[in-house]
Amino acid sequence: MFVRERERDTEVLAEHEVVVLGGGPAGIAAAAAAARGGRSTILVERYGFLGGAGTAAGLANFCGLHAKVNGEHRQVVHGIADDVLSRLKAMDALSSPHLLFGGRIQAQAYDVSAYKLVADKLLARVRVLFHALAVGYNDAHLLVETKSGRRAIKGRIFIDCSGDGDLAAWAGASYEVGDGKGNMLYPSTMYRMGGVDPAKAGNAWERIAELMEEAERKGHRFPRKKPIVRPQPNPTEWRANLTQIRNPDGSAVSGIDALELAWGEAEGRRQVWDTFRFIKDTVPGFERAHIADIAPQIGIRETRRVQGEYVLTEDDVLDCVDFADVIGANGWPVEDHVAGNVEFRFQRRERGYNQLPYRMIVPHGVDNLLVAGRCASMTHGGQSAARVSGPCFVMGQAAGSAAHLALKAGIQPAQIDASRLQEYLKSEGAWLG
């Protein structure tokens, strides 16, 4: 059944050289890079703050900024990411990198509210349109719904950092969803606990998985194995990543299905309460803990993956592959969220990181578009690694820089000489690997 709507004329709200959709790490870096090149830039964000999954989904730590390079932990993502880190550090809102997964990789926790403030300051030269939900694309205009009604934003180059590949799909780019067998990475609802006694809790993250296993042997059921529960910059506050949101039939909730999202939000909060009560009741140091925050939305890990001039694969990640058109590095392993568990597959070479090619952010068939972030051109396995914040910063900075260079030269983004882009990225502090 359908309802026929009348044709209408939509008011043009703004016109910019570069239009970025989505304010996560890819969108922040893309907009900042384009603006630093002197380009008139607008970033469209559906919430009233930036940060993407790092704030809206409560992620609260950066994954993928570091790699284990020949046995040594090193930061391998620089450029605009360095600016974010330095600003957070100046606010005393950034923890030192911590080890995960038996010491095989590092991540870095930050204060969520501080990240929102940092992102605002970082994009001081960008026009940011908050509370705008993108709903379509027509003739070089992004269509958005706002509190002022439906509006259009005209652009010369568009950068899709929506995470879901929304803009690319509306513009006619080809894409894939999931692994080809109907499976997507399972989403999670993140939450933070306050009132933790840090001295008493100690290294509780090393014990929680064992306590969960003991409880399961007695009949308790948890959403998934391999919980991640770690302290934030304020040691009395801990983040919890141990839910897994599935439909009643056991499949992963889809981030591009309205009814499944609605189900998933309520189911995620149910799992939050269940897992929180278990931690509070069984883990020393959490006796007086409370839920400080449940993320505004469930954390979606995978939906559309736009098909580009190159498709990054799981083997590219595991074999630490190099590319002639490199734009940066990814050191995060394959993190495959399957039913009831998380499967990690680590790099097969001691170097510990792969390069990311420019071609993976250049979609087929749409000349004035770049795609950065978890919706870029990757296989299901490749995306299981390169979807995290570190490589998203890399792709975003490259996309914003490429948009600037393309406009400067009067060419389409696909026509950019990779060596010219690489020199520009290095001049802006990026490390290419």
Side-chain angles (χ1 to χ4, degrees), residues 108-148:
Q108 195 160 10
Y110 55 82
D111 179 81
V112 169
S113 296
Y115 187 19
K116 295 176 183 178
L117 294 167
V118 163
D120 287 340
K121 294 176 182 178
L122 189 67
L123 299 189
R125 289 189 283 179
V126 174
R127 186 177 191 179
V128 179
L129 183 64
F130 288 124
H131 300 296
L133 179 65
V135 294
Y137 175 84
N138 186 9
D139 190 25
H141 290 79
L142 178 67
L143 303 176
V144 298
E145 294 287 355
T146 75
K147 292 299 289 185
S148 302

Side-chain angles (χ1 to χ4, degrees), residues 145-217:
E145 294 287 355
T146 75
K147 292 299 289 185
S148 302
R150 190 179 182 92
R151 296 291 186 269
I153 300 170
K154 185 176 182 179
R156 294 178 61 187
I157 292 180
F158 295 81
I159 305 177
D160 188 343
C161 302
S162 66
D164 296 320
D166 291 331
L167 173 53
W170 296 326
S174 59
Y175 60 86
E176 294 179 346
V177 178
D179 64 356
K181 302 176 183 177
N183 304 311
M184 284 183 284
L185 298 177
Y186 282 79
S188 296
T189 297
M190 296 281 293
Y191 63 100
R192 300 196 309 276
M193 296 172 282
V196 179
D197 182 336
K200 193 174 180 181
N203 293 355
W205 59 85
E206 298 175 351
R207 178 71 175 137
I208 289 174
E210 297 174 3
L211 291 171
M212 288 172 58
E213 290 173 1
E214 291 175 9
E216 283 193 321
R217 286 192 288 270

Side-chain angles (χ1 to χ4, degrees), residues 191-258:
Y191 63 100
R192 300 196 309 276
M193 296 172 282
V196 179
D197 182 336
K200 193 174 180 181
N203 293 355
W205 59 85
E206 298 175 351
R207 178 71 175 137
I208 289 174
E210 297 174 3
L211 291 171
M212 288 172 58
E213 290 173 1
E214 291 175 9
E216 283 193 321
R217 286 192 288 270
K218 298 176 183 178
H220 196 112
R221 292 292 174 261
F222 296 97
R224 73 170 214 227
K225 300 181 185 301
K226 297 186 176 68
I228 301 174
V229 183
R230 298 290 300 233
Q232 291 301 107
N234 179 345
T236 67
E237 180 180 278
W238 288 49
R239 71 182 182 279
N241 177 357
L242 70 163
T243 66
Q244 187 178 91
I245 316 303
R246 56 180 66 88
N247 293 305
D249 66 1
S251 63
V253 161
S254 170
I256 50 176
D257 185 296

Side-chain angles (χ1 to χ4, degrees), residues 286-303:
F286 288 79
E287 295 88 350
R288 297 180 62 82
H290 61 273
I291 296 176
D293 180 65
I294 299 175
Q297 70 160 72
I298 61 175
I300 301 297
R301 293 185 169 92
E302 180 188 25
T303 51

Side-chain angles (χ1 to χ4, degrees), residues 28-40:
I28 291 169
R36 288 177 181 182
R39 298 297 154 190
S40 167

